[in-house]
Structure formats: C-alpha cells, structure tokens
Amino acid sequence: MKTDKLAAIREIYESLNNNYQKSYCLSEFVTIDEMLHPFRGHCGFVMYMPNKPAKYGIKMYAICDAKTYYVSSFEIYCGTQPKGPFCISNKATDVVKRLVAPIEKTHRNLTTDNYYTTYDLAQYLLEGGITFIGTVKKNIPDIPLEFLPNKTQEVGSSLFGFQDNCTLVSHVPKKNKSVILLSTMHDEKEIDDVTGKPSIIIDYNSTKGGVDTVDQKCANYSTKKKTRRWPMAIFYRFLDMTGVNAHVIYIANNLNNPAGKKYRMDFLEELAFNLLESHFKERAMIKNLPLDIKCYLERYKEVPPNQVRANPDQRRCGPCHECKKHHNNKTTVRCSQCQNFVCKTHSQAVVSCDCCRVNNSDDE
C-alpha cells in the first residue's frame, strides 16, 4: 500500500516538474546526500537523524547540482519492502547507482561523504563516464597504515597515493587527526598555496553542500501544513523541490535579462498566483460571494471588450483627491481616467450631442 502511494505521488511530482523544465540545469559538479523532511506522524519508516535540524522525519536520498542546486533525482527511504516489484536494495552503493543512472556518460563529477565512498563504487562510476570525490572511513581495511592518523605526521602535511585512475590523499588538519579522501578526478599532487590544503579537499569543500542547501531552501519557503498523514507530508516536500527547480530554470533562461533576476520569494509568489489564475477566474463568476472576496476577484473577472472594467473600490462617495484634507469635500463623481473622486471645482463637464458621439465612435 505504501509503495502504491509513493508511486502516485512521484507521478504528480514529475508532472509538476516537467511543466517548468525547459533546460537541463546541471553543471559539471553534482552531489549525493540525505535530506530529512520533518514528520512525526504515524509512519513505519520515520528516521532519527541527530545531525539534521529536524531530528525526526522522512529520509530521502537526492542527487543535486552543486552550483545551481537543481534536484536531478531522488529516492525515498521506505525501509525493507516485502518481496515483489518494489523490493530493492538499500545499500549505499546500490542507491548511488540508481540515482546516477540519468546522468551517465555526461562526464560530470560526483561528490559524496564517507557513507557512500568505496573503491568499487569509484571504479563503477568511472566506467560510466562520471568522476568521483569523497571522504573515506578510516576503518576500511584497504587503506594503507601510512594514511591513518599517527603521532609522527606533522600538522598541515599531506600524503598522496596513486593507483591507476584513482588518487588517495591523507591531510592532517590537527594533531593525531587526519582526513582521507578518494578521487578519480585528480591525478597530480596539487596543494593550494594559500590554505596549504590539497586541491582534492578544496574541490570537495566547494561541492559537498548541494543537498543540504536544497534542504535549507525547502525549509525557508515551504508549502507544508500540519498533518499526520505521511503521503501529504511527502507531497508538500515535492512541491517545495519543484519550486526550487522552477526558480533555477527561470534564472537559467533569463541570464541576459536584468528584469528576470528575481529573488526566490518573489518568484514563488508570482508562480503561485499564475497557477491560481484560472481558479480565480472561475470563482469570480460566482455572484453570492462575500464583499471583500468579490472586490479582490474583480480584477480576474472577464468582461466584454466594449465594457469598462469596474473599479475595485466599491465606495459610493469619497473626498476629492485634489482638495486639501481639512476641506473634506465629499463627492460621488469619479475621474474617467484615474477613477479617483473629484469635486466640481477641480473637474469640468464635457457636453456632446448624440450625433457627435456617434461620429466619434465610428472614427474609433
């Protein structure tokens, strides 16, 4: 039952996302990591992740662009499924293989943390045309002893190891501490002159936060409502990710247009009103609406071409906008251009016969 709901919600997400996908907004660097959608309702696969701000929620594996933060693909962790078409492996290596399938042979670089990094995975991605950068756990038996933390290594030093198309580096940021990274993108011993760190670590630090940034963007401007149903919670997260992707595509399609550089808050507001415009037009045709709603929907009401749209201001009388405030000259006459109230002193009446009025209408 849960897999059927996830498949239905996934189809809705793809239909929403494809409506705005005019270009493939992925740069040469992508990253894979977990994102956690806050949820504490009744659900069999709610996860506890202490390193996330929400702590409890629904975990998703996502592959995002490290520069534009475009969500290319994602997968929801549902625990162990019964035998059938939805029974898949939840191993970190298998998750990465499924997520990178759409971008194979594109010559991009994938950045991950030590939860996914293995030598076999790096070789598999390299055969598929994708380079790899990732931190390595220190308890892996394949790591040589020289790369592990020890007292003889100096602070700030780096040790490199090369094998075929793979590079291993161990950097010492503090005493008795070391950071080990595996890379198939670098094949030289390069160290930054300013920071003293290897170029592998510099590239890793600049491309590792793609998924975390998307998670933060979804939390800043979210469509979620309080609910105890996990399908609705996932649907709200899909809408948030669709909004992030839509903004990325909009910026990519308006790089040379100064007016097209909108903040994400303004873009989401305009996007929401554009999606609701058809609903507003249908609702504006209802006659027995409250006065405040009717006044707001007046701008969406369709009127014949030969009829002037009514002014949203429904007041029958008001003070003249040309007189001073202390005069308080109230009038029922409006200006034909600006629709503001105006008194007889600051206005003039135009008299025309029926014949002239007909002739003017024929000329137009």
Side-chain angles (χ1 to χ4, degrees):
M1 184 65 179
K2 75 173 65 170
T3 52
D4 295 340
K5 291 182 179 179
L6 288 175
I9 297 175
R10 182 63 181 265
E11 292 179 0
I12 296 175
Y13 169 79
E14 292 178 353
S15 64
L16 290 172
N17 200 27
N18 291 334
N19 289 335
Y20 304 100
Q21 188 169 359
K22 298 181 180 179
S23 60
Y24 200 59
C25 298
L26 287 181
S27 64
E28 57 183 3
F29 294 98
V30 295
T31 178
I32 288 181
D33 204 348
E34 306 101 356
M35 62 173 61
L36 190 71
H37 182 66
F39 183 73
R40 287 179 175 265
H42 180 70
C43 181
F45 47 90
V46 171
M47 297 293 296
Y48 170 71
M49 302 180 69
N51 58 337
K52 297 292 184 180
K55 308 298 181 184
Y56 289 91
I58 300 175
K59 184 172 74 171
M60 301 180 183
Y61 301 104
I63 176 171
C64 304
D65 188 84
K67 303 298 182 181
T68 62
Y69 311 117
Y70 181 88
V71 183
S72 175
S73 181
F74 66 93
E75 183 177 302
I76 301 175
Y77 175 77
C78 300
T80 304
Q81 295 292 317
K83 293 183 179 180
F86 299 102
C87 182
I88 56 177
S89 174
N90 291 323
K91 294 182 179 180
T93 303
D94 297 332
V95 171
V96 174
K97 291 180 180 179
R98 291 194 296 267
L99 291 178
V100 300
I103 62 172
E104 288 184 349
K105 306 298 181 180
T106 58
H107 304 287
R108 290 185 168 90
N109 180 79
L110 177 66
T111 303
T112 64
D113 56 11
N114 56 14
Y115 177 74
Y116 306 93
T117 303
T118 60
Y119 177 77
D120 296 336
L121 177 62
Q123 295 300 320
Y124 171 83
L125 295 175
L126 192 60
E127 294 175 359
I130 301 176
T131 57
F132 179 85
I133 300 177
T135 55
V136 183
K137 294 181 179 179
K138 299 179 180 61
N139 57 357
I140 297 179
D142 297 337
I143 300 177
L145 297 178
E146 294 80 5
F147 288 80
L148 297 177
N150 57 73
K151 299 180 180 180
T152 59
Q153 294 179 346
E154 298 181 359
V155 177
S157 62
S158 301
L159 180 63
F160 290 85
F162 302 93
Q163 179 179 353
D164 297 335
N165 297 323
C166 189
T167 301
L168 188 69
V169 61
S170 176
H171 179 71
V172 184
K174 298 180 181 179
K175 188 176 181 180
N176 297 333
K177 300 288 184 180
S178 65
V179 180
I180 305 176
L181 288 92
L182 180 67
S183 173
T184 58
M185 178 183 175
H186 304 79
D187 55 359
E188 295 181 359
K189 184 179 178 180
E190 298 179 358
I191 297 179
D192 186 67
D193 297 334
V194 178
T195 61
K197 297 179 181 180
S199 59
I200 299 177
I201 296 180
I202 300 297
D203 294 338
Y204 173 79
N205 291 336
S206 62
T207 59
K208 67 178 180 179
V211 178
D212 293 336
T213 303
V214 172
D215 202 1
Q216 182 181 6
K217 286 177 176 288
C218 293
N220 290 339
Y221 304 107
S222 179
T223 59
K224 68 178 181 180
K225 299 291 184 180
K226 186 176 181 181
T227 179
R228 305 290 290 181
R229 297 180 294 168
W230 63 265
M232 290 301 300
I234 295 177
F235 176 71
Y236 293 143
R237 173 48 66 101
F238 288 177
L239 289 180
D240 296 337
M241 290 191 295
T242 303
V244 174
N245 287 0
H247 185 241
V248 172
I249 295 173
Y250 178 82
I251 294 299
N253 293 336
N254 294 274
L255 292 177
N256 299 326
N257 184 12
K261 297 180 180 179
K262 294 184 179 181
Y263 290 102
R264 182 164 168 260
M265 180 181 65
D266 300 333
F267 172 79
L268 292 178
E269 183 179 359
E270 183 178 352
L271 174 63
F273 279 101
N274 289 338
L275 293 175
L276 292 172
E277 185 175 358
S278 60
H279 174 71
F280 286 158
K281 291 181 179 180
E282 295 178 0
R283 190 168 174 80
M285 302 304 295
I286 302 176
K287 297 181 179 180
N288 55 346
L289 288 174
L291 183 60
D292 55 344
I293 299 178
K294 185 182 296 184
C295 294
Y296 179 79
L297 296 178
E298 189 68 24
R299 69 190 74 175
Y300 298 99
K301 188 175 181 180
E302 297 181 358
V303 296
N306 57 351
Q307 183 179 352
V308 180
R309 182 180 296 275
N311 188 19
D313 189 358
Q314 300 295 326
R315 294 181 300 170
R316 296 183 179 180
C317 64
C320 176
H321 73 286
E322 292 290 341
C323 297
K324 295 182 179 180
K325 293 183 178 180
H326 62 273
H327 287 173
N328 196 19
N329 292 335
K330 290 188 177 181
T331 178
T332 59
V333 180
R334 291 179 181 270
C335 177
S336 60
Q337 300 295 329
C338 63
Q339 296 296 321
N340 292 323
F341 290 105
V342 60
C343 64
K344 295 182 179 180
T345 305
H346 298 96
S347 63
Q348 57 182 354
V350 179
V351 180
S352 62
C353 63
D354 295 339
C355 182
C356 295
R357 186 170 64 252
V358 172
N359 292 335
N360 292 333
S361 61
D362 293 339
D363 294 339
E364 292 177 357

